[in-house]
Each structure stands twice: as C-alpha cells, then as structure tokens.
C-alpha cells in the first residue's frame, strides 16, 4: 500500500510487529504511524479513529486485516464458550467496530472510499475443530456484501479477499513442516502464497482501477478452492511443483 502511494496507520496489539512494518513503510517515503489497541474494544476503536482523523486527516481506505485463529480449538460441543466469543470479538466484531467508526467520517465527507476485508477460504469450507474461525469469516463475507449494497450510493467500495494458505509470520507460522508439505500437495499452485500476494490485491481493490468492483469476495489461494481432485487422481508431474520464493 505504501509503495502505491498511501500514507499508513498500522494498528496491531503486537506493537513490536507493527513498528517493524512501520520501518518498511518509512523506507518508501510515506507517512506512517502506529497504534496498538485491541479492535475488540469498541470505545478504544472509536478513540483511535478520532485520533487518526485529527492527526492524518481524511481516511480514504480501511483494511480490516487483524485476525486470530486457534488450531484445534475443539469441536463445537467441547470448546469453551470464551474461545468462540474471543474469535468472533476480533475477527467479526472488530471489523464491525472499525468499519462503523471510519464510516462516521467517510460518509459525511462525500468523497467515496474503499473498504477491504480480509476473509479466508475457510469462510466457505470446513476444517476440523475450527468452527468459530469459519463462522467469523463467513460473517465477514456477509458483512462485505451487505455493506457493498448499503454504501454504493456513497461511492464507497467494499470488497473482501479470501486468502488460502499464506506463509505469514503469525497464522502462517502455525503451519509446521508436515502441514506445509500437505498444503503443497493440496494446492494446485504447489506452494503456499506470501503476504505480498495479498497486499497486491488489497492495493488493486483500493485503487481507482477497481472503481466498479464492489461486494466481491476474491480468492487468492493458488487454486485451492477450485480444486477437488482426490489425492490419488492428481498427476505425478503436477502434484508437487517447486516452492515459490517470497516475492517481497
Ligand atoms: N496466513 C494464512 O494462511 C491466512 C489464511 C486465510 C486468512 N488469513 C487472514 O489474514 C489476516 C492476517 O493474518 P496473518 O496470516 O497475517 O496472521 P498474523 O497473525 O501475522 O496477523 C494478524 C495480526 O492481527 C493482530 N491482532 C490479533 N488480534 C487483534 C486485535 N484484537 N486487535 C488488534 N490486532 C490484533 C495480531 O497481533 C497479528 O499481528 C487474518 O484476518 C487472517 O484470518 C490468513
């Protein structure tokens, strides 16, 4: 986003991580500032958006990216209720709080805007023992479509990206060697994606080039959702092509 010319506010409860991304933004010459509040706290979100608006001016683009995932959280009947609520508080309610706070300023200024939500392929397909995450991301897809319809008269585009398996530091870091090998066999591209594969699509959706796209959920998944070929019917040449290098 910075290399496409955006000034950036990064909010992340992991302030160290956010500060290290801020250094990368500074190197592009764009303005950057870091906030470190939990988006699960509506009042804190409202205060943050007020501060950002006062310090930076208009907010043109909101990317709802923060997310949490618990591996093997338990089946629905065994997981603690707190787990369910905790995942939904960040992944779904946090996006709702941030979006509402931004819209309270984006709509009245009458200059349009862009909202990009980071969903997941898991909004549409089930993995064992992760139901709260799936439900949160299905909610993000529904939120995306509802907001696209409500906000089209204000010329605010609302879209979502549904990543497949991405070699990110946090969630991607949970993929152990065995899981990575399994993903390589399962993903037609033959490798996990990289954060930049997602960032590039965010930058496109936030650009004027995407003027007429709204309410879309774009899979960025190396063909994961397109492919239901059983393992034993996969071609030997195609099953495990070489890994892609990180494009960053
Ligand atoms: N990595 C993948 O394979 C993958 C696949 C599909 C979707 N996603 C989605 O992509 C997004 C980014 O995930 P990632 O893979 O880069 O993981 P990540 O863990 O590196 O990034 C998520 C960030 O959100 C922050 N965060 C968590 N809860 C927060 C809260 N309540 N308030 C503020 N910040 C909070 C974390 O500190 C972390 O830095 C998430 O929404 C995730 O669900 C990731």
């Amino acid at each position: 986003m910075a290399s496409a010319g955006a000034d950036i506010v990064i909010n992340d409860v992991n302030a160290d991580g956010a500060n290290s991304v801020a250094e990368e933004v500074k190197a592009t010459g764009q303005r950057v500032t870091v906030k470190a509040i939990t988006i699960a706290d509506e009042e804190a979100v409202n205060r943050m958006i007020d501060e950002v608006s006062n310090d930076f001016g208009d907010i043109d683009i909101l990317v709802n990216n923060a997310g949490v995932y618990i591996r093997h959280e338990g089946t629905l009947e065994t997981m603690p209720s707190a787990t369910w609520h905790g995942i939904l508080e960040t992944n779904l309610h946090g996006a709702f709080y941030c979006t509402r706070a931004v819209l309270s300023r984006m709509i009245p200024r009458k200059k349009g805007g862009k909202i990009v939500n980071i969903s997941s392929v898991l909004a549409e397909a089930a993995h064992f023992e992760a139901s709260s995450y799936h439900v949160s991301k299905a909610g993000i897809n529904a939120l995306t479509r509802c907001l696209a319809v409500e906000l089209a008269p204000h010329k605010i585009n609302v879209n979502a990206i549904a990543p497949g398996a991405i070699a990110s530091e946090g969630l991607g870091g949970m993929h152990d060697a065995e899981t990575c090998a399994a993903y390589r066999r399962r993903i037609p591209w033959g490798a996990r994606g990289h954060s930049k594969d997602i960032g590039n699509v965010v930058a496109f959706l936030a650009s004027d080039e995407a003027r007429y796209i709204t309410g879309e959920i774009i899979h960025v998944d190396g063909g994961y959702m397109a492919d239901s070929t059983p393992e034993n019917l996969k071609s030997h040449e195609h099953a495990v092509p070489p890994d892609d290098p990180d494009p960053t």
Side-chain angles (χ1 to χ4, degrees), residues 130-149:
S131 56
S132 61
Y133 184 82
H134 291 258
V135 168
S136 71
K137 294 299 187 180
I140 287 291
N141 287 2
L143 182 70
T144 301
R145 295 188 180 105
C146 294
L147 283 172
V149 171

Side-chain angles (χ1 to χ4, degrees), residues 11-14 17-18 36-41 64-69 89-91 118-122 133 137 161-173 175 183 192 195 198:
N11 175 65
D12 196 309
V13 282
N14 172 3
I37 59 116
T38 172
I39 58 162
D41 178 342
N64 284 311
N65 175 66
V68 279
Y69 174 86
E89 265 302 319
T90 289
N91 293 8
I118 305 301
S119 178
S120 169
V121 293
L122 300 186
Y133 184 82
K137 294 299 187 180
I161 295 170
I166 304 297
S168 64
E169 285 176 22
L171 274 64
H175 303 151
Y183 270 129
R192 293 183 301 163
S195 298
I198 308 304

Side-chain angles (χ1 to χ4, degrees), residues 183-185 187-191 235-244:
Y183 270 129
R184 290 188 62 205
R185 291 192 297 275
I187 300 169
W189 199 262
S235 122
H236 287 301
E237 297 83 59
H238 184 65
V240 188
D243 263 326
D244 286 342

